[in-house]
Structures are given as C-alpha cells and as structure tokens.
Amino acid sequence: MSSIELKTKWLENYKTAPAQLQKMGEINGLISAFNANVDAVIKVNGKGIQNLIAENNLNTDLILGEGENNIRCNEDAIRGFLNCFKNGIAEEWLIEDVGVFEWLNKNVGYDKMQMGGQGGIVANVMAVCGVNSVYVHCASAPKDQSKLFLDLPNLLTNDENGEIKQASKVDRSSDLALIHWIIEFDKGDSISLNGKTYVCPKANRFIATYDPLNFKLHIDENFANRMSQNDINPEYIILSGYQMLHESLRDGTKGTDRIDFSKAMIEKWRESCPDSLLHLEVASTQNKVIRKYLIDNLVESVDSLGFNERELIDILEVIGEDELAQKCEENTNSSNLFEGMLKIREYTNCSRMQLHMFGLYLTLQEKGFSVSPLQNRNGMQLAATVAAAKAGTGAIDKKEVLLWAKGHEVSEVGLNELSKLSKTVTNLFGDNQLLETGIFTNEKLEIIAVPTILIDKPVTLVGMGDTISSVSLVGAR
C-alpha cells in the first residue's frame, strides 16, 4: 500500500476522535497526583545563549564537559540545556543550589507562566476533556499558582481546611509558588562554543527545576485523607512526580521511604473503587537508585506505565539491559524501542505500557486487558489529535480547541516508524496488519500502534507527553 493510500486509511481510522472525546464525559472521577507547579516558559535561540555565556563570564570548559545530570552551578544549567539542544531531546535536571535559582530568575526570566508538573498538566487536560470530577493534588496552592488551573468547576483540590473546592479559586496563602524553567529551542538553530558549532536536529526543551516540596514528594495530608473517603470513587488514578526524588533527602529521609509511603496511601484511595486503573507516568528520573526502586517496588502495583524514548532507555539501564539500552541510544527507532518494551514487560510483568515517541505512539499490553485494542487505538488517536492541537495553538484551554487538528494527515515520520515496527513484529510473532490497522494480537500480547500528526513549527511542546499518556488511556472508552 502506498504512502498516500496509508494516509487515507489512517484519516478514516482517526474519524473516531470526536466520539471518543464525547465519551470522556462519562467518567465520574479521576485523581491526578502528585506534582503541580508553575512553569516559567521561555523560548531561546543559540545566539542568545552565547551572549548569556559571554555576559556572565561562564566557563565553557565546564559547559562542554561531562558531569551528572543535575545543577549545582550556573554552568551546569547551560550544560544541561546544550545537551538537549545538540541532541534534540527533552530532559529535566534538578537545581540543587538556591543561588542558581536566583541567577536563572534574574538572567533568563520567562515569556509566560503556566501550569506545570505532570499532575497539574494532566488535571487541566482531563478537566477540559470533560471528566466530571478531576481531583488534583497540590503540595502548594497559593493564589499565583492556583490561578493557572483552568477556570472549570470540575477541576478540584482542597483548601487549607481540607474542603474540596474549584482548584483555580483556592488560595492557601501561606504556601509558596513552586517554579520550574521550561527552556524551549527550535530545530535548525545553532550554538557556537570554543570554535565548534552545534546544530539542533529537533525542536524540544530543557527543564531546570527548583522545587523543594516536590523534591521530597510532599503530600498534603488533607488531600490524602479526603481521597480515601467513599464518595470520591476514582475510576482512574494518574501518578507522577517521583522523578524529583533523590536517594537521600536533605532532612535525612530516604527517597525510597517516600515511595513506600505513597504506595500505602494509594491503596487506601482504591478501596472505594477497587477496579480503578492506576497509571504511572515514569518521567525523567535521574537518580538511578530511585529509578530502580520505582520499577521494582511501585510498578508491581500499577496497571499501566507511560514513558518516552529517553525514559524507556533509562529503565533498560537499571534492569540489566545495558546492551539493549545502548542499541536504543545509538539508533532510536520503533524497532529497537519495541524490543526494549518487551524486556521491560518481561522484567516487571506490567499489564500495560505505552511509549510516546516522535511520530508514533505504541501500546503493549497483556491479552484481555480491560481496555481492548480497538479502544486503545481510538484513545491514542484522540491523544494524537489533542496533542497536535496543543502544539499548533499553544494551549488547549477550551473544549472547542481540542479537535483543532481533526482532518490533518498522519506524518510520514510516523508511517516510517510504523513500517519498521511491523517488520519487527513479523520477525518475532508473524504476519500482521499494523500498517493498515495499528492492531496486532496473539494468545499472549496485544500491540497497538498509531502514527501521529506532527506540527512543523510547534508553538509549544511543554506537557506533551503527559497529555498523550493521559488522553490515550482515559480517552480509550
């Protein structure tokens, strides 16, 4: 089948998106926890970064050198940015020194402020998509942060007294706003340092985070207690925020203890709704001890995992699959990443996992999972449509914007990746119709793959992965 014929076929497949969006209004309750914060977003160019380095007399040897993926000095912040810029990737590095936070605030600033953190972003998306009651956890909820939640009556959190109220109207005035810098860059831009020029291969962003509450996975006690009461009945619980934990926290607590604490608390939340689906968004977890503990001790309790290419490779590194991780690193395509997913499934026995990579979404689940392959495909197509709207318009803050990309063709990149995947599945499991239908099943596995809509010049990419994972799952009705 030709590329034109395949695009026509997928246009037909994508026609389910409006009906899937309507079905999200049938969902009664969803919890989004744990991290919500303020994102300070700025788009930069290579020349501006060069000037920043020169004006502040930064050490370019440190910027170009090797080091850990965290930020202890000003040069580390630029080193992290350059790593993402020259590779066209997205990473989040944690700021460990308040002086760097103050330096970024003064010298980098921001173009706009918006809701950040996987928990906050997912809550906004779920609410605008029509879920009846979206409960979002906030470690901190001062007015300046709360006003970044959409002004919707179905988007809820607790006030200082533990009462559930519309999130955008809550003002826990004694709390401090938690700010993360989202530094975006464009494909084709260049930076010249020490006589060498680096050209950006793909538009993306670097996240520099200073967030002392979410660093220790602070959980608001009022919220935790309220979510365990019988009237909440969450059909979905979407978890995130663990990526900021370290092995040892500044107060002497172990990061692993915080994971265990949250795990026990979530079990109480599920007592009123034992059939709820529990999804973990892996995110870029730099600390390997925390990453390994999440995979070994939290994943056993979840029904679904979400990750991008980088996060998949990170998981492979801590489950003893270094050779495959290196293979995926050197050639990041759907074929290699699918092999990685098979290894992660073998290691964790997780019922469902979803990869969102450039141009393709891929779900791997056990046979007979509660969400059927067709439902999954429909949810993933809705997610691709909503994500394209976010990229193309810059914000999905009104319901009428969600289907902005309806009728757009799927990308050539996505079809190429789907073709590679189809060949790999043929080699491993036999003939399939993945290119035309996006669905393959056998007696043990269900594979669902969707080529996505790509926007050439995205207005923003912030929160894209969280949007994709949550809509793919919750929109699969």
Side-chain angles (χ1 to χ4, degrees):
M1 192 177 285
S2 70
S3 175
I4 293 173
E5 289 172 322
L6 282 172
K7 286 183 178 180
T8 301
K9 175 64 177 171
W10 279 99
L11 270 176
E12 189 66 29
N13 291 340
Y14 265 74
K15 285 183 178 178
T16 61
Q20 293 303 121
L21 180 61
Q22 196 70 24
K23 288 179 183 178
M24 289 185 71
E26 300 170 6
I27 298 165
N28 291 320
L30 179 148
I31 297 174
S32 182
F34 290 98
N35 56 332
N37 56 261
V38 175
D39 276 350
V41 183
I42 183 168
K43 179 160 278 190
V44 301
N45 57 52
K47 187 66 176 175
I49 295 298
Q50 287 174 216
N51 291 340
L52 181 69
I53 292 168
E55 290 166 2
N56 289 270
N57 297 313
L58 299 184
N59 186 329
T60 53
D61 290 334
L62 290 178
I63 291 169
L64 295 169
E66 298 293 325
E68 296 181 11
N69 290 4
N70 51 34
I71 300 171
R72 296 191 176 99
C73 65
N74 298 342
E75 284 84 357
D76 283 340
I78 306 304
R79 180 171 60 87
F81 168 80
L82 181 63
N83 180 61
C84 291
F85 181 94
K86 68 183 182 181
N87 293 303
I89 60 174
E91 289 188 346
E92 179 176 12
W93 290 17
L94 307 183
I95 301 170
E96 298 186 7
D97 187 285
V98 67
V100 181
F101 168 82
E102 292 168 347
W103 179 78
L104 284 170
N105 204 22
K106 178 181 177 183
N107 292 280
V108 177
Y110 54 87
D111 295 328
K112 62 179 178 179
M113 299 182 80
Q114 63 189 35
M115 177 53 63
Q118 288 89 351
I121 292 168
V122 166
N124 271 347
V125 172
M126 292 294 98
V128 76
C129 284
V131 173
N132 285 306
S133 295
V134 179
Y135 304 96
V136 57
H137 172 266
C138 299
S140 181
K143 183 179 180 180
D144 285 346
Q145 183 162 316
S146 294
K147 69 183 181 183
L148 299 176
F149 285 115
L150 297 179
D151 185 12
L152 294 171
N154 58 331
L155 180 48
L156 309 163
T157 194
N158 60 285
D159 65 12
E160 65 275 13
N161 300 314
E163 296 297 319
I164 294 295
K165 293 184 177 178
Q166 183 173 324
S168 64
K169 300 185 185 305
V170 167
D171 180 12
R172 291 172 7 203
S173 56
S174 61
D175 291 353
L176 295 174
L178 309 172
I179 301 179
H180 300 208
W181 272 274
I182 313 294
I183 305 171
E184 300 185 317
F185 45 85
D186 286 330
K187 176 182 177 180
D189 196 4
S190 63
I191 295 177
S192 296
L193 292 175
N194 288 8
K196 186 172 181 180
T197 298
Y198 303 91
V199 179
C200 177
K202 182 163 78 83
N204 225 313
R205 79 277 187 197
F206 171 63
I207 305 175
T209 295
Y210 183 73
D211 187 344
L213 287 181
N214 285 319
F215 276 4
K216 60 183 180 182
L217 200 75
H218 173 79
I219 298 172
D220 185 84
E221 186 177 354
N222 285 328
F223 184 88
N225 291 337
R226 188 68 182 85
M227 291 303 102
S228 64
Q229 295 177 17
N230 290 335
D231 62 324
I232 299 300
N233 292 316
E235 295 173 54
Y236 297 87
I237 301 173
I238 299 180
L239 302 177
S240 57
Y242 296 94
Q243 73 272 16
M244 287 186 275
L245 287 172
H246 278 238
E247 185 176 356
S248 296
L249 308 183
R250 290 188 176 183
D251 62 2
T253 306
K254 290 183 178 180
T256 54
D257 289 342
R258 297 302 298 160
I259 296 171
D260 290 341
F261 176 80
S262 73
K263 184 177 174 181
M265 184 184 61
I266 293 159
E267 287 177 5
K268 291 182 180 178
W269 292 358
R270 299 183 87 182
E271 287 177 2
S272 65
C273 200
D275 294 329
S276 60
L277 279 175
L278 181 61
H279 174 86
L280 171 64
E281 194 63 14
V282 173
S284 181
T285 308
Q286 299 300 327
N287 187 280
K288 286 189 175 181
V289 171
I290 295 299
R291 196 190 311 161
K292 180 73 159 58
Y293 198 83
L294 284 170
I295 298 304
D296 288 349
N297 295 276
L298 183 60
V299 171
E300 65 183 12
S301 298
V302 309
D303 305 298
S304 176
L305 276 180
F307 40 69
N308 65 17
E309 308 99 312
R310 177 69 257 167
E311 293 150 8
L312 184 153
I313 295 168
D314 288 345
I315 295 171
L316 292 175
E317 288 176 352
V318 296
I319 65 171
E321 295 291 342
D322 296 297
E323 187 175 330
L324 182 53
Q326 185 65 29
K327 181 181 175 182
C328 291
E329 185 91 64
E330 292 172 356
N331 195 352
T332 310
N333 61 38
S334 59
S335 178
N336 291 338
L337 294 169
F338 177 65
E339 289 183 30
M341 291 178 77
L342 290 172
K343 288 295 184 182
I344 294 170
R345 183 181 185 276
E346 181 182 319
Y347 184 91
T348 64
N349 203 33
C350 185
S351 299
R352 177 189 184 271
M353 56 186 67
Q354 184 180 44
L355 165 71
H356 44 90
M357 63 176 291
F358 186 63
L360 189 76
Y361 305 158
L362 173 56
T363 296
L364 174 66
Q365 63 184 32
E366 67 181 11
K367 182 75 171 181
F369 187 71
S370 59
V371 181
S372 75
L374 183 58
Q375 287 174 317
N376 262 296
R377 191 188 75 180
N378 290 344
M380 292 157 72
Q381 289 168 170
L382 174 60
T385 304
V386 172
K390 185 179 180 74
T393 68
I396 46 173
D397 51 2
K398 295 183 175 72
K399 195 153 190 172
E400 53 265 31
V401 178
L402 297 173
L403 298 176
W404 172 87
K406 179 176 172 285
H408 282 53
E409 287 186 338
V410 298
S411 65
E412 200 72 34
V413 172
L415 288 176
N416 289 338
E417 291 294 349
L418 185 55
S419 178
K420 292 174 188 174
L421 175 67
S422 178
K423 290 173 183 175
T424 300
V425 172
T426 298
N427 291 337
L428 293 173
F429 303 115
D431 292 340
N432 60 82
Q433 299 297 312
L434 280 169
L435 261 175
E436 295 85 9
T437 69
I439 294 173
F440 171 83
T441 66
N442 62 20
E443 67 280 0
K444 292 183 179 179
L445 297 175
E446 297 173 345
I447 300 165
I448 308 96
V450 170
T452 72
I453 302 164
L454 293 179
I455 304 301
D456 286 337
K457 293 183 178 180
V459 177
T460 183
L461 293 171
V462 176
M464 199 63 77
D466 316 315
T467 299
I468 293 162
S469 285
S470 58
V471 177
S472 290
L473 179 62
V474 184
R477 303 288 286 178

